[in-house]
């Protein structure tokens, strides 16, 4: 059963300050998501995990080559997951990878994605080829070939995204009503799957965020308002009423309204209302492109009253 922890309003990552209050005797793992490709505070998360004897699995699906203290995210815990789905910084169509220093775990994961076939340490003395229940979720060689080609470009593109993100941030940080991300302490590199900032309508003469987004798009800047809140989605209701959840959890734990109440994340709710994202490929543009984006945002700020009246 997933238990949600609220995020930090400046880094937009899981707030380590709020993790311990969610840990119970049933907790097994902490799953920080390096959301937007900006690293979560792994040093503090790992300390909490150690204290409570929990495993940590990093969702680094958006964070290829991001680093804390010079070490890659996804390698800072028991296991890290990466996505190569088409929007990602390393796209191959569909697919992903799990990394870990734990050979037994990796062998088990390899077996699982390949029909449960024997693999590495999973061979043992089990007779037959299929030693556990698995799925068929293998990458094809064609996707791997695309991935190898993409990999050659990843380092250069990551450097460029970081350079452009830092520059763009410096250009927009003083525009009233624009509050860009802050990186977690000790981050030596981010991945910038997205370039995020908070949009404060009050400083744009109450121009609603969707109108700001429309205006920014009209200036030729691709952008979006980001995700909606994950902790209130209908799939949770389905899960809570499923046979398997009923077999494992006490009745009061399966009450949807209770669940929503226990998993409130007010900071995240606010961020979902204020967030503006530029996609990663925008950061592969030129310095002049970054100047143009900053100019577009400043222009909308100056004319927000007029725009509000027109669109
Ligand atoms: C943060 C995050 N986690 C997990 C996933 C799932 O990855 P995939 O689509 O490769 O299954 C994605 C994106 O798709 C993601 O952005």
């Amino acid at each position: 059963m997933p238990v949600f922890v609220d995020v930090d309003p400046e880094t937009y990552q899981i707030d380590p300050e709020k993790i311990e209050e969610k840990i119970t005797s049933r907790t097994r793992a902490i799953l920080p998501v390096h959301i937007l490709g900006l690293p979560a505070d792994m040093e503090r998360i790992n300390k909490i995990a150690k204290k409570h004897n929990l495993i940590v699995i990093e969702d680094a699906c958006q964070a290829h080559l991001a680093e804390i203290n010079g070490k890659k995210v996804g390698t800072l815990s028991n296991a890290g997951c990466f996505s190569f789905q088409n929007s990602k910084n390393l796209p191959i169509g569909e697919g992903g990878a799990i990394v870990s220093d734990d050979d037994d775990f990796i062998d088990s994961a390899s077996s699982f994605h390949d029909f449960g076939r024997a693999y590495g340490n999973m061979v043992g003395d089990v007779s037959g080829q299929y030693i556990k229940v698995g799925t068929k979720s293998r990458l094809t060689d064609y996707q791997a070939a695309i991935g190898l080609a993409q990999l050659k470009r990843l380092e250069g593109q990551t450097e460029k995204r970081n350079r452009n993100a830092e520059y763009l941030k410096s250009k927009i940080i003083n525009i009233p009503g624009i509050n860009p991300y802050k990186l977690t302490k000790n981050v030596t590199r981010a991945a910038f799957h997205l370039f995020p900032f908070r949009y404060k309508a009050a400083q744009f003469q109450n121009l609603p965020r969707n109108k700001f987004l429309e205006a920014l798009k009209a200036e030729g800047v691709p952008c979006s308002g980001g995700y909606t809140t994950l902790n209130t989605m209908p799939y949770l209701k389905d899960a809570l009423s499923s046979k398997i959840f009923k077999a494992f959890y006490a009745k009061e734990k399966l009450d949807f309204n209770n669940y929503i109440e226990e998993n409130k994340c007010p900071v995240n709710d606010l961020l979902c209302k204020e967030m503006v994202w530029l996609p990663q490929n925008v950061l592969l543009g030129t310095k002049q492109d970054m100047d143009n984006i900053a100019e577009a945002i400043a222009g909308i700020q100056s004319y927000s009253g007029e725009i509000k009246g027109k669109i």
Side-chain angles (χ1 to χ4, degrees):
M1 181 177 290
V3 174
F4 290 89
V5 174
D6 210 351
V7 294
D8 179 283
E10 295 188 321
T11 65
Y12 316 148
Q13 306 304 309
I14 184 170
D15 186 347
E17 210 52 54
K18 295 179 181 155
I19 293 176
E20 279 195 290
E21 67 200 50
K22 294 289 180 107
I23 295 174
T24 69
S25 60
R26 302 186 67 127
T27 307
R28 293 291 172 270
I30 306 175
L31 206 164
V33 181
H34 302 294
I35 199 75
L36 318 176
L38 314 183
D41 190 343
M42 291 306 298
E43 289 174 318
R44 288 176 70 195
I45 293 166
N46 281 335
K47 253 189 217 156
I48 295 167
K50 201 165 173 200
K51 182 173 158 198
H52 294 273
N53 200 21
L54 300 172
I55 62 165
V56 179
I57 303 164
E58 288 163 85
D59 179 336
C61 286
Q62 300 186 349
H64 317 76
L65 300 194
E67 293 172 358
I68 295 172
N69 286 329
K71 284 193 76 183
K72 302 275 182 293
V73 307
T75 69
L76 303 172
S77 59
N78 298 86
C81 311
F82 293 88
S83 172
F84 307 141
Q85 170 272 335
N86 239 8
S87 71
K88 297 299 188 297
N89 294 19
L90 198 160
I92 64 169
E94 284 289 354
I98 302 176
V99 298
S100 174
D101 284 338
D102 180 339
D103 287 345
D104 289 344
F105 167 70
I106 284 294
D107 289 347
S108 174
S110 291
S111 170
F112 179 77
H113 96 306
D114 184 24
F115 285 142
R117 278 192 172 127
Y119 186 87
N121 295 335
M122 294 292 293
V123 177
D125 55 5
V126 182
S127 61
Q129 215 185 357
Y130 301 97
I131 55 171
K132 61 192 266 182
V133 173
T135 65
K136 185 174 178 227
S137 41
R138 301 180 303 226
L139 279 185
T140 63
D141 291 353
Y142 309 104
Q143 289 167 299
I146 295 169
L148 288 173
Q150 296 282 28
L151 202 52
K152 290 190 188 131
R153 312 189 314 165
L154 187 62
E155 176 62 36
Q157 290 188 336
T158 305
E159 268 312 300
K160 190 167 201 187
R161 285 190 195 96
N162 273 265
R163 241 185 355 259
N164 274 335
E166 204 176 320
Y167 181 66
L168 180 57
K169 183 178 171 183
S170 74
K171 300 283 290 185
I172 63 171
I173 198 159
N174 292 322
I175 301 175
I178 300 294
N179 295 6
Y181 65 90
K182 272 196 187 148
L183 293 178
T184 305
K185 194 170 131 259
N186 297 335
V187 168
T188 39
R189 178 149 81 159
F192 291 106
H193 178 57
L194 291 143
F195 177 96
F197 57 87
R198 289 173 70 176
Y199 169 74
K200 301 279 185 185
Q203 279 141 301
F204 278 69
Q205 306 206 41
N206 290 323
L207 179 73
R209 182 184 62 165
N210 64 333
K211 297 292 177 192
F212 171 81
L213 290 167
E214 259 179 57
L216 196 55
K217 281 182 201 157
E219 293 292 327
V221 181
C223 56
S224 76
Y227 296 137
T228 47
T229 52
L230 192 60
N231 56 331
T232 53
M233 292 236 169
Y235 81 92
L236 289 163
K237 202 170 193 171
D238 289 349
L240 295 182
S241 55
S242 68
K243 257 190 190 165
I244 190 142
F245 269 60
K246 280 184 181 154
F248 279 100
Y249 296 103
K251 209 170 170 203
E252 65 274 11
K253 283 272 158 209
L254 298 175
D255 183 284
F256 188 60
N257 294 331
N258 275 355
Y259 183 86
I260 296 282
E261 198 55 39
E262 283 176 9
N263 285 281
K264 281 201 162 142
C265 296
V267 179
N268 191 56
D269 293 346
L270 180 66
L271 292 188
C272 286
K273 287 189 190 120
E274 294 183 347
M275 201 53 76
V276 173
W277 291 354
L278 310 185
Q280 51 89 6
N281 47 1
V282 168
L283 295 176
L284 295 177
T286 60
K287 198 173 177 195
Q288 181 63 53
D289 291 332
M290 302 307 117
D291 285 325
N292 293 348
I293 293 168
E295 213 174 285
I297 296 171
I300 297 170
Q301 216 284 331
S302 307
Y303 293 101
S304 42
E306 286 89 329
I307 296 169
K308 197 177 158 194
K310 283 202 174 120
I311 54 178

